[in-house]
């Protein structure tokens, strides 16, 4: 028989208001994109955002990050238990986790990324940096894809690619701001020894040409990922495609602005205007009307640990049907064909 249609996702009104407030205060870009989602998916997306935003702020604003990390891990354990969480965002996330069967390794990986930030971890190579981006961004992309009901390997891999691309764009945009906060995300192999201590190097008035080249290399990699990631839009529910395409195009435009600034994100911070965002939403409408095949390339090595368990833990689906149900329909169809053939032979022999 046909697989059951999932019930629409909904939150109690007070939790919905809390999630709406979180995204309105936290990210204008994601707020814009979320308005384009179907109502139940928008509700789920905002619940996911509210938890991630709260968790990020908890670590960033902590006097003792290790203590806050332990608190966050305990909160996640409550979310995945039968207990009722205390925080409104945790309550909303717990409802989402249960409704969409979100595997715990995804938010666990997100928290691991926050722990790397708290420890001031730096990254030797691009591959190392992708490992960080996978945790703090691809996790969200994969969870969002599960929320939209897509669980096949290629679509999850492309969602993870989009998370990588967006995070690399963030890093390219925020080189100067991160340095002011004593953080360096550019791969150390791309920098000279003096530039490894980027905050001190910039404070002493060091040349920025090599830093701009490193920023350019980061955006070149992001662009490769965007091209591959956006093919996955074709596999999403039709009502979700414009929103996700818009989010990708808006973030990609931030990278374009960094490029127009000659890859100087130390003295300038790139942003996209409201007018440009509206233009990109219109462009997303056009792009989603064009049929494109999803790139079936395997996941980036940095994100494989996120996507593969999701596939293994979810039932196989064939065009919206459970595999067992699809096989049953196939057997019924074969049986009906044989019955008709036998009936026709009987008529000919009469």
């Amino acid at each position: 028989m046909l697989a059951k249609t999932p019930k629409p996702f909904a939150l109690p009104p007070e939790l919905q208001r809390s999630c709406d407030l979180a995204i309105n205060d936290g990210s204008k870009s994601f707020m814009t994109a979320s308005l384009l989602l179907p109502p139940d998916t928008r509700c789920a997306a905002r619940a996911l955002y509210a938890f991630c935003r709260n968790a990020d702020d908890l670590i960033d604003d902590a006097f003792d990050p290790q203590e806050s990390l332990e608190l966050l891990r305990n909160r996640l354990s409550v979310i995945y238990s039968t207990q009722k969480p205390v925080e409104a965002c945790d309550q909303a996330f717990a409802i989402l986790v249960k409704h969409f069967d979100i595997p715990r390794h995804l938010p666990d990986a997100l928290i691991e990324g926050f722990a790397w930030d708290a420890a001031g971890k730096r990254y030797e190579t691009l591959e190392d940096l992708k490992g960080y981006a996978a945790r703090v961004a691809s996790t969200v992309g994969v969870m969002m894809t599960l929320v939209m009901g897509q669980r096949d390997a290629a679509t999850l891999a492309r969602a993870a690619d989009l998370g990588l691309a967006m995070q690399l764009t963030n890093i390219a945009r925020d080189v100067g701001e991160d340095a002011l906060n004593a953080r360096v995300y550019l791969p150390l192999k791309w920098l000279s020894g003096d530039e490894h201590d980027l905050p001190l190097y910039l404070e002493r008035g060091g040349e920025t040409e090599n830093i701009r080249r490193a920023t350019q290399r980061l955006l070149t990699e992001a662009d490769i990922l965007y091209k591959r990631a956006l093919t996955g839009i074709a596999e999403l529910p039709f009502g979700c495609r414009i929103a996700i395409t818009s989010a990708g195009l808006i973030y990609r435009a931030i990278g374009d602005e960094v490029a127009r600034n000659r890859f100087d994100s130390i003295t300038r911070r790139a942003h996209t205007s409201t007018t440009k965002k509206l233009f990109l939403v219109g462009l997303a409408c056009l792009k989603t009307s064009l049929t494109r095949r999803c790139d079936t390339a395997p996941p980036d090595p940095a994100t494989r640990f996120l996507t593969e368990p999701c596939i293994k833990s979810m039932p196989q689906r064939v065009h919206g049907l459970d595999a067992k149900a699809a096989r049953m329909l196939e057997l019924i169809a074969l049986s009906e064909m044989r019955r008709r053939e036998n009936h026709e032979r009987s008529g000919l022999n009469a």
Side-chain angles (χ1 to χ4, degrees):
M1 60 181 189
L2 293 175
K4 292 182 180 178
T5 302
K7 294 180 181 178
F9 179 81
L11 291 173
E14 66 278 7
L15 294 183
Q16 183 63 64
R17 283 193 295 271
S18 176
C19 294
D20 290 345
L21 185 61
I23 195 169
N24 191 51
D25 290 344
S27 174
K28 300 303 180 186
S29 293
F30 282 115
M31 177 67 178
T32 301
S34 73
L35 290 171
L36 302 170
L37 290 167
D40 59 328
T41 309
R42 182 192 313 147
C43 175
R46 292 183 178 184
L48 175 59
Y49 178 88
F51 173 77
C52 295
R53 177 80 269 165
N54 180 274
D56 192 19
D57 289 345
L58 178 68
I59 306 305
D60 278 350
D61 301 338
F63 177 75
D64 182 349
Q66 294 307 316
E67 184 178 317
S68 293
L69 282 165
E70 189 60 29
L71 172 62
L72 188 54
R73 292 186 183 104
N74 290 337
R75 283 170 51 184
L76 192 60
S77 292
V78 172
I79 286 168
Y80 276 85
S81 73
T82 56
Q83 303 174 59
K84 182 178 179 180
V86 175
E87 301 283 346
C89 63
D90 291 5
Q91 292 176 29
F93 189 55
I95 295 170
L96 181 140
V97 160
K98 183 177 180 181
H99 187 92
F100 295 104
D101 196 14
I102 305 293
R104 179 167 173 172
H105 78 277
L106 294 171
D108 273 338
L110 176 68
I111 293 174
E112 184 179 25
F114 294 158
W116 289 6
D117 268 339
K121 185 171 181 176
R122 297 187 178 186
Y123 306 96
E124 190 70 22
T125 66
L126 175 62
E127 289 68 32
D128 295 336
L129 181 60
K130 282 184 177 181
Y132 166 73
R135 285 161 175 79
V136 298
S138 294
T139 48
V140 181
V142 172
M143 285 190 280
M144 189 63 205
T145 303
L146 299 181
V147 162
M148 291 184 286
Q150 300 303 304
R151 306 176 186 276
D152 65 280
T155 309
L156 290 172
R158 302 295 73 84
D161 285 341
L162 187 57
L164 291 179
M166 287 180 164
Q167 188 60 30
L168 295 185
T169 301
N170 268 338
I171 291 167
R173 178 192 61 188
D174 294 340
V175 172
E177 185 176 318
D178 287 333
L180 288 174
N181 293 309
R183 291 179 173 177
V184 180
Y185 291 100
L186 292 173
L188 298 181
K189 275 197 170 182
W190 295 358
L191 304 175
S192 69
D194 290 341
E195 292 166 344
H196 287 186
D197 189 349
L198 193 56
L200 182 60
Y201 179 79
L202 294 175
E203 186 181 325
R204 290 176 175 173
E207 290 289 330
T208 61
E209 181 62 32
N210 190 49
I211 299 166
R212 290 201 300 271
R213 281 198 296 268
T215 303
Q216 181 178 12
R217 290 177 70 180
L218 206 59
L219 288 173
T220 298
E221 178 65 22
D223 198 54
I224 293 169
L225 289 162
Y226 279 122
K227 287 176 181 175
R228 194 166 67 212
L230 290 172
T231 68
I233 303 296
E235 301 302 318
L236 299 180
F238 187 79
C240 299
R241 293 178 190 176
I242 293 175
I244 305 305
T245 304
S246 296
L249 293 179
I250 289 169
Y251 256 78
R252 197 176 192 177
I254 293 171
D256 293 341
E257 188 64 27
V258 173
R260 275 190 286 272
N261 294 339
R262 296 182 62 248
F263 304 101
D264 173 15
S265 52
I266 295 171
T267 65
R268 306 174 71 173
R269 190 175 193 270
H271 68 280
T272 51
S273 66
T274 300
T275 301
K276 182 64 177 290
K277 287 175 183 174
L278 291 174
F279 168 77
L280 292 171
V281 170
L283 182 59
C285 294
L286 176 62
K287 282 182 172 291
T288 53
S289 67
L290 303 174
T291 303
R292 298 179 66 190
R293 286 189 176 183
C294 178
D295 190 323
T296 57
D300 189 284
T303 64
R304 188 172 292 127
F305 80 106
L306 298 175
T307 61
E308 288 186 349
C310 292
I311 299 163
K312 292 174 183 175
S313 66
M314 302 299 173
Q316 293 284 326
R317 292 188 179 272
V318 181
H319 302 300
L321 303 178
D322 288 330
K324 288 183 178 178
R327 179 58 178 161
M328 185 177 293
L329 287 176
E330 182 183 354
L331 292 173
I332 291 171
L334 288 171
S335 176
E336 178 63 15
M337 287 175 62
R338 291 187 185 117
R339 187 190 68 78
R340 288 181 179 179
E341 287 174 357
N342 290 335
H343 180 74
E344 289 171 358
R345 288 195 191 99
S346 298
L348 289 173
N349 294 331

